[in-house]
Amino acid sequence: MIKRITPPLDDKILEDLRIGDKVLITGKIYTARDAAHKRFVETINKGGQLPVDLKGQVIYYVGPTPPKPGYIIGSAGPTTSIRMDSYMEPMLKAGLKATIGKGYRSWGVVDLLKKYKAVYFIATGGVGALISKKIKKARIVAYEDLGPEAVMELEVEDFPVIVANDIYGGDIFEEGVRKYQEITLPFKIERISEV
Amino acid sequence: MKIVRVEEIEDAVRRLSMDVNYYIRDELREAYKKALEKEVSEIGKEVLSQIIENVELAASEQLPVCQDTGVSIVYVEIGQEVKIEGGNLYDAINRGVSRGYKEGYLRKSVVRDPLFNRVNTGDNTPAMIHVEIVPGDVFRITFMAKGTGAENMSRLAMLTPAAGVKGVRDFVLKTVAEAGPNPCPPIVIGVGIGGTFDTVGWLAKKALMRKFGSRHPDPNYAKLELELLDEINKLGIGPQGLGGRITALDVRIETAPCHIGALPVAVNLDCHAHRVGVWEK
C-alpha cells in the first residue's frame, strides 16, 4: 500500500509510518546538505534564528545540477545521508521531523529518531533525472553563496520515498541484508559511524 | 611524430565531461538489464527498473544521470612519439572541464581548500590529472566523472605478505559490506594490489577506468576478479542496499610489484552510473 503525506508532519502521520512503507510526498520540502547544515547548526548554537522554521518539516539532502533553459531544476537525486549525522540532534531539537537521503544512518541517529519521534526516508540514489520530474517549483531561500549547496524550497508532487528508519527504531538495511545474505563472514560488519 | 594540438585536447575533455554524464555506455546498460533478470528481491527489481528508466530519460533530454556529476579524473596516456603543440597540457584539460561543466549544466563540486576554507571553485576545476608516457604514438584520454558517495566508502590497507589471498579477499568483502547502501549499489569495484602506499590507490582507480567486464591478463587475478564478484553478490546488500542478490556489476584488479615485506591493497568503489569515457588520437 502506498501512503500519501503532506508536510508539516504531525505525530499522527509519523506514528503510521513503518520501515519499508512506500510513501508519496506532496507539498513543500527544503533542501540542505553539508555546508548548509554547518551554518544551520552554527546559527542554532549561537541562539540565532534559522532562515526556515523547521517545525514539522522535511529536509531533502540534495545538491541539484543547474537547470537547463526551460527547466525548473536539474538532476536532483539524494546524496549520502551519513555526512549529516553529526548535525542531527540540534536539527531534531529545532523541530525537524523527516529527512530524505540515501544510505544508512549511524546507530546513534537511529536512536535519536526514536527519541525525537522523526523518520528517515530514502529516495533512489543515482536516478536524479527521473526524480527531477517530481519537482514542480524550486526557489532559493537561504545561503545563495553556497551555489549547489544553497537551501531551496521545493514544491514536490508524488515524490517517491521509502521509510528506512521509523519512530520505533526499525532499520530497513539491516532487515534486507539479513534476508538475502548467503555467505558467512570471518569478521563483524560495523556501520561507519559519525555519531 | 604525431602532433596533438591543445585545442583538440580541450574540446575532447569538454565533450567527454558532458557525454559521460548524459549517456550511459551500452555495456553498462546491458549489465543493468542482466541484473534485473537475475535479481530476486521485489524492491531490488524496482530499483533496477528505475535505474534503466533514468538512463533512458537522461539520454533523451541530455540531463545528467545523477546530480553528483563528480570530480573530473583525467588519465592521459601519451606515446613518446607524440608532440603536444599550442600550449600547456594541464591548462587545456582544465579549460575543457570548465567549459564542459558550464555549457553542459553540470554541477560544480570542487572546493579550493579541503579543510579551512571550503569555497567552491565554480567551474569544477581543477581536474585530478594523471599522465603516463607510453611507447608508440598513441594519445589517449580516459575521463571519469567520479561521485563522492562511492569515493568516500573506498578504503586502503597495508597488509603483510602473510595475509595472502585470504587477507585481500576479506578486506575487499569488508569494505563492500560496511559501505552497504552508501555507494549506490549495484556498484563497480576497482582493486589495487601491490606497489606502495601512494601507487596502490591509483591502481584501484585505474582498475575502475579499465574497460567494463575486461579481465586481468594473469589468469590467477582474472579468476580472483570473478570469485570476488560472486562473493560480493552473496553479501545480500542488493540494489540501493535494500536487500537482494545484485550488489556489484563488475570487479577489476590492477597489480604492481611490491616490497618483500608489503602487500598494499586499495578498494575503490564506484556507483552504478560508473561514468567513464575515452578519446583517442
Side-chain angles (χ1 to χ4, degrees):
Chain A
M1 196 188 73
I2 290 173
K3 293 175 177 170
R4 290 171 181 277
I5 61 170
T6 294
L9 308 180
D10 59 23
D11 283 359
K12 194 168 163 285
I13 296 171
L14 296 161
E15 281 162 11
D16 183 45
L17 299 175
R18 295 285 194 291
I19 58 164
D21 282 356
K22 289 178 184 170
V23 178
L24 294 175
I25 304 173
T26 296
K28 283 180 184 157
I29 62 175
Y30 294 94
T31 74
R33 46 172 293 152
D34 310 64
H37 273 79
K38 187 165 183 271
R39 288 197 190 171
F40 275 156
V41 171
E42 277 166 5
T43 307
I44 292 170
N45 290 344
K46 277 189 230 149
Q49 201 180 352
L50 291 177
V52 289
D53 182 5
L54 294 177
K55 274 192 198 70
Q57 296 305 327
V58 180
I59 281 189
Y60 181 24
Y61 300 144
V62 60
T65 57
K68 282 169 59 168
Y71 282 69
I72 295 155
I73 199 164
S75 279
T79 193
T80 313
S81 306
I82 200 167
R83 296 195 316 272
M84 271 53 82
D85 280 7
S86 60
Y87 302 114
M88 270 309 264
E89 190 155 25
M91 297 290 283
L92 291 166
K93 269 189 189 161
L96 182 68
K97 282 296 173 189
T99 51
I100 307 168
K102 72 173 173 82
Y104 57 60
R105 308 308 299 248
S106 23
W107 293 115
V109 167
V110 178
D111 289 341
L112 286 174
L113 294 173
K114 208 169 150 186
K115 182 176 169 190
Y116 290 95
K117 248 189 171 179
V119 297
Y120 168 51
F121 295 117
I122 48 167
T124 304
V127 301
L130 201 59
I131 291 177
S132 72
K133 301 294 177 188
K134 304 294 179 187
I135 298 166
K136 303 301 170 189
K137 275 186 192 166
R139 70 181 179 100
I140 293 173
V141 290
Y143 313 149
E144 194 165 359
D145 61 297
L146 293 179
E149 297 202 71
V151 175
M152 299 174 96
E153 183 188 82
L154 305 180
E155 252 181 77
V156 298
E157 204 176 291
D158 291 339
F159 188 94
V161 294
I162 297 172
V163 181
N165 296 109
D166 54 26
I167 62 167
Y168 308 103
D171 184 87
I172 199 171
F173 302 110
E174 207 182 32
E175 305 252 318
V177 168
R178 195 182 295 144
K179 208 165 149 193
Y180 291 97
Q181 189 171 317
E182 299 172 301
I183 188 172
T184 315
L185 298 171
F187 49 82
K188 205 171 159 268
I189 301 173
E190 309 269 359
R191 195 167 274 199
I192 293 154
S193 179
E194 304 237 341
V195 175
Chain B
M1 179 174 279
K2 183 186 279 181
I3 307 284
V4 183
R5 297 275 316 166
V6 288
E7 295 82 6
E8 295 175 272
I9 297 169
E10 176 182 333
D11 195 54
V13 171
R14 181 186 72 86
R15 278 184 292 113
L16 281 168
S17 49
M18 293 191 273
D19 288 353
V20 300
N21 277 297
Y22 302 154
Y23 311 113
I24 294 299
R25 295 167 280 166
D26 289 345
E27 56 265 40
L28 204 53
R29 296 160 90 115
E30 265 318 295
Y32 299 156
K33 283 181 196 150
K34 276 193 196 141
L36 181 58
E37 283 166 23
K38 281 194 211 154
E39 184 53 68
V40 289
S41 102
E42 279 312 311
I43 188 76
K45 282 192 225 173
E46 214 173 293
V47 168
L48 290 165
S49 303
Q50 286 175 16
I51 290 171
I52 293 167
E53 196 187 337
N54 182 64
V55 299
E56 282 163 11
L57 174 68
S60 71
E61 296 192 23
Q62 286 89 55
L63 291 172
V65 287
C66 177
Q67 74 292 334
D68 186 353
T69 50
V71 63
S72 309
I73 298 161
V74 182
Y75 171 34
V76 194
E77 291 162 276
I78 308 175
Q80 60 186 25
E81 287 151 41
V82 171
K83 183 165 187 271
I84 296 164
E85 277 189 353
N88 180 294
L89 169 70
Y90 292 83
D91 292 346
I93 292 169
N94 280 318
R95 276 197 306 275
V97 167
S98 176
R99 287 183 56 202
Y101 275 71
K102 279 184 185 161
E103 293 167 23
Y105 298 94
L106 307 178
R107 197 179 78 187
K108 290 77 182 170
S109 311
V110 176
V111 290
R112 177 76 57 199
D113 178 90
L115 190 57
F116 294 107
N117 193 16
R118 294 183 64 92
V119 176
N120 199 307
T121 60
D123 64 356
N124 221 52
T125 65
M128 309 293 149
I129 302 170
H130 302 264
V131 177
E132 267 175 33
I133 304 296
V134 297
D137 68 350
V138 69
F139 183 90
R140 187 182 298 118
I141 293 174
T142 308
F143 182 100
M144 184 176 203
K146 188 70 174 73
T148 217
E151 194 74 0
N152 280 352
M153 295 295 128
S154 304
R155 295 290 181 265
L156 193 155
M158 300 304 286
L159 302 180
T160 58
V165 178
K166 187 183 180 300
V168 170
R169 182 182 306 244
D170 287 352
F171 182 65
V172 174
L173 289 176
K174 195 169 165 50
T175 301
V176 175
E178 297 197 337
N182 295 6
C184 271
I187 56 175
V188 178
I189 297 129
V191 183
I193 308 174
T196 45
F197 183 83
D198 53 320
T199 51
V200 74
W202 171 232
L203 285 175
K205 183 69 92 256
K206 262 170 107 168
L208 280 181
M209 296 175 97
R210 210 172 78 200
K211 191 172 159 35
F212 184 84
S214 62
R215 297 280 68 92
H216 193 285
D218 179 330
N220 286 324
Y221 289 105
K223 189 163 158 264
L224 184 59
E225 288 173 335
L226 294 174
E227 285 168 358
L228 282 169
L229 179 61
D230 184 55
E231 287 181 324
I232 286 164
N233 283 332
K234 287 183 177 154
L235 289 171
I237 296 165
Q240 289 298 303
L242 295 169
R245 289 209 179 133
I246 307 294
T247 299
L249 300 170
D250 198 17
V251 179
R252 297 191 289 274
I253 299 172
E254 284 287 313
T255 54
C258 65
H259 191 280
I260 50 174
L263 178 53
V265 185
V267 183
N268 197 188
L269 306 183
D270 200 16
C271 59
H272 56 76
H274 191 40
R275 295 155 293 187
V276 183
V278 179
W279 180 80
E280 225 179 86
K281 184 178 175 184

